[in-house]
Amino acid sequence: MDMTEIMARVQEMNAQRAQATAAKRIEVKKTLEAHGITAVSAEYDAYGDSGNIESVRWEPKTKQLSPEVERSVADLLWDVVYDLHPGFENNDGGDGEVEWDVSADKMQIEHRERFTDYNSYSHEGV
């Protein structure tokens, strides 16, 4: 298998993942609207090959969501971020915030990726 074939397969997998995320987004949006939820926000963090959504909040705060609905929201938000930044959980990882205006179906994502940096010096014949 050459690099062209590998890249084609990666693009195909990314397209399939994006389609699955889009379908999931439609279903989660319907569920949130049925519960009267107009906005959702969350923080996420990942490093060392793992990560997750740290917390999910919604508006209005007076509404209650079941653990299953809360998990489906968290899974969707993770998928949206991962589709934009695949592999960000590796090594030093990354973190960020997601805000979803459910009514308008628009998301704002603030994403940060961490990395280790260093300065290297070489001295010969000093």
Side-chain angles (χ1 to χ4, degrees), residues 44-54 78 81-82 85-95 111-112 114:
Y44 60 91
D45 192 16
Y47 56 90
D49 300 334
S50 65
N52 61 2
I53 298 292
E54 299 293 319
W78 178 267
V81 170
Y82 197 87
H85 301 279
F88 80 91
E89 78 285 4
N90 294 321
N91 302 317
D92 292 344
D95 68 338
H111 180 78
R112 296 172 294 274
R114 297 184 286 263

Side-chain angles (χ1 to χ4, degrees), residues 13-37:
M13 288 172 35
N14 288 343
Q16 290 172 350
R17 183 173 170 80
Q19 287 177 331
T21 300
K24 186 187 298 185
R25 183 172 177 160
I26 291 168
E27 292 305 312
V28 171
K29 182 178 185 295
K30 287 179 187 176
T31 300
L32 291 174
E33 288 174 331
H35 283 87
I37 303 300

Side-chain angles (χ1 to χ4, degrees), residues 95-113:
D95 68 338
E97 298 86 31
V98 180
E99 293 182 9
W100 184 14
D101 179 341
V102 177
S103 302
D105 195 19
K106 301 280 184 190
M107 289 190 192
Q108 169 91 22
I109 300 169
E110 297 297 326
H111 180 78
R112 296 172 294 274
E113 292 186 9

Side-chain angles (χ1 to χ4, degrees), residues 60-75:
K61 294 178 183 177
T62 56
K63 300 289 184 176
Q64 296 297 315
L65 295 178
S66 70
E68 294 81 18
V69 171
E70 206 173 324
R71 181 81 254 152
S72 70
V73 171
D75 288 347

